Amino acid sequence: MNKKIIPESELIINPDGSVFHLHLLPEQLTDRVILVGDPARVNMVAEFFDTRTFEVMSREFHTIGGTYKGKPIMCLSHGIGPDNIDIVINELDALANIDFKTREVRDTKRVLTLVRIGTSGALQPELSLGTPVIAEKSIGFDGVLNYYAGRNEVADLDFEHDLCEQTGWNPLWAKPYVVDADPELVERIGGTDMVRGNTISAVGFYGPQGRELRLPLANPDLNRRIEAFEHKGRKITNYEMESAPLQGLGKLMGHKAMTVCSIIANRFNTEANPNYKSGVRDLVATVLERI
């Protein structure tokens, strides 16, 4: 059987041998990767590292690699939004599973552990500010996964059907997809002190999450319908913008992926905590211990 060769136009490799957007070299990749949105937050995560072996910055992608309690680890910022996750996960997988010299896909696949630590807005009244919520199921409103073959094989199609029916899904929007986080990671990272949630990945921060500033919303009661939605006893817990493409692409590629977010606002109760960084720092410390 012939090996798959990736053309230069499909995987751009920089002159120094690094992958196009992330500017990482294959030898820099670690099996454990912490993902954060804010490039500045990478420095905060790396403060916990015992050693630092490299640092790379390119656009919104900031990476620091090192060790934590003897384990090689790296923290990478992905910026804001599902489109960035498409770049990050594809390029991390390329670093792991494509030979950059021959452009051949490797026969033996390397499995990465990808944990995103983020912030989120709650959609249920009982979720207090500072609560860590794991996206045990993540609901993609972004449409990224719909561009990949095998999408239905990794998605919860019954959940998707009920969501579209109960919310009166607008046909102008991308079809939502629902993907589980890696179950072993959920148990290991979540322990007994994190909420298992059902998290929406929105395609934007304002209108796509039901925020109205100057422009009126096409479906102003969508959040009310989302808050009332229920599938087999499961309600939607929170909004963020990256968990679904991370978990969906991770599952399609054979990696272990999940997201955990600290609740910094409650959309139902109209509460917010702008001084949330200490809570995120505590969450980082917990994840590093358990990853």
Side-chain angles (χ1 to χ4, degrees), residues 74-93:
M74 56 190 268
C75 182
L76 164 64
S77 64
H78 51 68
I80 297 175
D83 49 340
N84 281 10
I85 294 295
D86 181 66
I87 291 170
V88 169
I89 303 309
N90 272 285
E91 292 196 1
L92 287 176
D93 181 74

Side-chain angles (χ1 to χ4, degrees), residues 173 204-213 215 217 219 222-223 239:
W173 300 334
F205 185 78
Y206 289 99
Q209 294 188 38
R211 290 183 172 91
E212 184 173 328
L213 301 184
L215 292 178
L217 301 175
N219 293 76
L222 178 62
N223 275 4
Y239 262 127

Side-chain angles (χ1 to χ4, degrees), residues 49-198:
F49 292 179
D50 304 320
T51 63
R52 298 191 190 195
T53 54
F54 70 88
E55 181 171 11
V56 177
M57 297 192 72
S58 173
R59 308 185 195 194
E60 62 266 65
F61 309 117
H62 178 201
T63 310
I64 297 177
T67 60
Y68 179 77
K69 295 191 174 179
K71 298 181 292 189
I73 197 163
M74 56 190 268
C75 182
L76 164 64
S77 64
H78 51 68
I80 297 175
D83 49 340
N84 281 10
I85 294 295
D86 181 66
I87 291 170
V88 169
I89 303 309
N90 272 285
E91 292 196 1
L92 287 176
D93 181 74
L95 289 164
N97 292 311
I98 296 173
D99 186 318
F100 275 26
K101 291 184 174 63
T102 65
R103 295 185 163 270
E104 292 179 343
V105 175
R106 300 184 191 278
D107 292 330
T108 302
K109 300 300 183 293
R110 182 176 175 185
V111 177
L112 304 178
T113 296
L114 309 168
V115 178
R116 187 180 103 75
I117 303 173
T119 55
S120 182
L123 287 167
Q124 300 299 332
E126 67 274 12
L127 287 176
S128 58
L129 301 183
T131 300
V133 178
I134 289 175
E136 187 171 32
K137 283 187 181 291
S138 193
I139 304 121
F141 283 6
D142 51 89
V144 166
L145 207 66
N146 299 339
Y147 290 89
Y148 291 91
R151 168 248 197 258
N152 283 0
E153 281 67 50
V154 300
D156 186 334
L157 301 181
D158 288 339
F159 194 117
E160 292 175 12
H161 175 269
D162 285 356
L163 179 67
C164 291
E165 287 289 312
Q166 292 183 39
T167 60
W169 192 255
N170 189 328
L172 292 176
W173 300 334
K175 188 179 190 300
Y177 60 94
V178 181
V179 184
D180 291 346
D182 181 82
E184 188 276 329
L185 260 189
V186 169
E187 291 307 308
R188 174 153 48 99
I189 302 293
T192 59
D193 54 356
M194 294 184 187
V195 173
R196 272 63 163 171
N198 307 291

Side-chain angles (χ1 to χ4, degrees), residues 121-127 129 210-211 223 227 263-274:
L123 287 167
Q124 300 299 332
E126 67 274 12
L127 287 176
L129 301 183
R211 290 183 172 91
N223 275 4
E227 289 158 5
I263 296 298
I264 67 168
N266 190 299
R267 303 293 300 285
F268 189 94
N269 298 331
T270 65
E271 300 172 331
N273 176 21

